[in-house]
Amino acid sequence: MYYIGLDVHKKTISYCVKDASGLVHREGKVGATRWELDDWMKTLPQPWTVAMEATIFTGWIYDHLLPHAQQVKVAHPLMLRAIAAAKKKNDRIDAGKIADCLRCDFLPECHMACTAIRDRRRTLRYRHLLVRQMVQMKNRISGLLMETGVNHNKQRLHKVGYFRELLASNEEVNESIRPLLRVSRDSIVRLQKTEYALVSSLQRDPLLAERIKRLRTVPGVGPITALTWALEMGDVSRFASIRQAISYCGLCGDEKSSADKVMRTPLSKQRNKHIQRVLVEAAKLAPRQDHNLALVYEREKQKGNANRATLAVARKMVAYLLAVDRGQRDFVPFADSQSSAA
């Protein structure tokens, strides 16, 4: 078996080919294009396995190499201490160290979702970009009105009828900002239509439809939360316990222990930020919809911290979602399950 380490960049890929004893057979650079990779793979000794760091370019390279390699692995960048802490660092050395980690089975491998999930996840993350742009445009409209001293109802400002009436009947609206307000409003409408189309297409997707329907039976889980869970978590069987899922969602802090001292830190930055953001937002509304979650929130809030109470609700929602996903059945409240058992 030959072990190949790749140091991936935008235009070039540095590689190092080693055998089981650590002897370097080949090293160099290849262009980061599909046809150059095809030519390069024809020259490789057989059989071979390859590893690379997780970057923005990793996805398509992973998919392109997978049919030809014995195995393709992706390394967690933060865990590659041998590269991050090195005194001398360049592309050739990095590729060699990745090859060594792969050869010695020390590679800190990270999960790679299947191509179908990654393609749909890209669409969902693009939807988040559209939502951020909508918020920016709405804030820009409010800013223009405040800059020119126009009295308006903040709660109704972005309603179509009120906005049209504001431009037509309010004499305080300066002529200099009217074109800017119309352009901003048109941008918001276009973004809303595009966002709705993206979400609708994902909800109707045959790969996700049944799973989304089940997940939405969990209290406080709407279409966006269900889609985010399904696409960001991927195959939930890779989580051996609820604690691992909670850690992946970024709902717990780091632990630093030494001898008899144990110190818990704030929320860890090593998490999936997309699922973390959505779960925290959902946990703020979920206690209003479910009695058990409301009890969890009140019990934690009595300790004096509302933010910790929200995190406790989010962790409970992770347990619910994980159970629904693993069992592939609708959510059944605890009281209902007791009555049916009786």
Side-chain angles (χ1 to χ4, degrees):
M1 178 67 70
Y2 292 89
Y3 302 89
I4 305 174
L6 301 181
D7 189 46
V8 179
H9 296 280
K10 181 179 179 180
K11 295 183 179 180
T12 60
I13 301 173
S14 296
Y15 66 90
C16 180
V17 182
K18 294 188 177 185
D19 61 15
S21 65
L23 179 66
V24 177
H25 280 251
R26 290 182 57 189
E27 57 183 357
K29 288 187 178 183
V30 61
T33 61
R34 287 179 171 84
W35 65 270
E36 287 180 281
L37 283 176
D38 287 336
D39 291 341
W40 171 71
M41 283 188 288
K42 294 176 183 177
T43 66
L44 294 177
Q46 298 293 332
W48 53 275
T49 182
V50 63
M52 69 195 90
E53 278 189 274
T55 68
I56 191 175
F57 317 109
T58 299
W60 75 264
I61 298 174
Y62 178 91
D63 293 336
H64 196 70
L65 298 180
L66 193 58
H68 307 280
Q70 290 288 323
Q71 199 172 15
V72 181
K73 294 187 177 183
V74 179
H76 196 300
L78 294 178
M79 301 299 179
L80 284 175
R81 302 297 184 186
I83 291 178
K87 183 176 181 181
K88 185 178 181 182
K89 186 178 184 303
N90 56 48
D91 296 346
R92 182 180 61 81
I93 293 175
D94 290 353
K97 288 183 177 178
I98 293 175
D100 283 332
C101 290
L102 177 64
R103 179 176 60 86
C104 300
D105 199 21
F106 288 152
L107 190 79
E109 189 175 359
C110 65
H111 174 71
M112 277 294 288
C114 66
T115 306
I117 291 294
R118 283 189 278 122
D119 289 343
R120 290 157 178 79
R121 185 169 61 192
R122 188 182 302 115
T123 301
L124 183 65
R125 292 181 181 180
Y126 190 81
R127 175 257 169 198
H128 177 60
L129 171 65
L130 298 181
V131 171
R132 285 189 310 190
Q133 290 177 343
M134 276 192 285
V135 172
Q136 289 175 351
M137 297 308 297
K138 288 179 179 180
N139 291 340
R140 186 66 268 176
I141 290 176
S142 300
L144 288 171
L145 295 175
M146 287 189 290
E147 284 177 16
T148 53
V150 179
N151 291 322
H152 61 279
N153 188 325
K154 294 181 180 179
Q155 283 70 35
R156 299 179 57 198
L157 176 60
H158 302 296
K159 306 273 185 197
V160 177
Y162 178 81
F163 185 82
R164 189 182 297 116
E165 179 185 349
L166 181 70
L167 293 185
S169 60
N170 195 324
E171 298 179 355
E172 294 180 350
V173 180
N174 196 297
E175 288 296 329
S176 64
I177 67 169
R178 285 179 180 271
L180 301 178
L181 292 174
R182 291 193 182 95
V183 169
S184 299
R185 181 62 202 176
D186 291 343
S187 298
I188 292 172
V189 172
R190 285 196 302 270
L191 290 168
Q192 285 175 335
K193 291 180 179 178
T194 307
E195 186 263 344
Y196 177 78
L198 292 179
V199 174
S200 298
S201 66
L202 288 174
Q203 287 182 294
R204 294 192 302 266
D205 194 299
L207 182 67
L208 301 172
E210 288 299 322
R211 189 178 181 187
I212 298 304
K213 185 178 178 181
R214 288 194 301 268
L215 292 172
R216 291 195 63 182
T217 61
V218 176
V221 175
I224 302 303
T225 305
L227 281 169
T228 306
W229 174 272
L231 294 175
E232 296 294 343
M233 301 296 283
D235 183 9
V236 295
S237 63
R238 63 194 178 98
F239 299 105
S241 65
I242 296 175
R243 287 187 176 185
Q244 286 186 4
I246 289 173
S247 176
Y248 181 80
C249 295
L251 300 175
C252 62
D254 290 332
E255 179 181 343
K256 296 182 179 179
S257 303
S258 179
D260 297 330
K261 296 181 180 180
V262 179
M263 182 176 66
R264 302 292 298 189
T265 64
L267 290 182
S268 173
K269 296 297 183 181
Q270 296 186 34
R271 85 289 189 209
N272 185 315
K273 63 179 181 181
H274 305 283
I275 186 67
Q276 181 194 52
R277 180 192 67 252
V278 171
L279 285 174
V280 170
E281 292 299 321
K284 293 178 181 178
L285 301 176
R288 305 178 192 177
Q289 304 176 20
D290 183 73
H291 177 67
N292 292 326
L293 293 178
L295 292 177
V296 172
Y297 181 83
E298 290 300 327
R299 183 170 61 248
E300 291 296 324
K301 190 177 179 182
Q302 287 176 1
K303 298 178 182 179
N305 194 312
N307 290 335
R308 289 185 180 179
T310 300
L311 289 176
V313 173
R315 288 192 286 268
K316 179 62 73 173
M317 292 180 69
V318 169
Y320 289 166
L321 289 164
L322 197 62
V324 168
D325 234 359
R326 281 178 174 171
Q328 296 188 0
R329 60 180 184 273
D330 292 351
F331 175 78
V332 179
F334 182 68
D336 293 349
S337 62
Q338 279 190 325
S339 61
S340 60

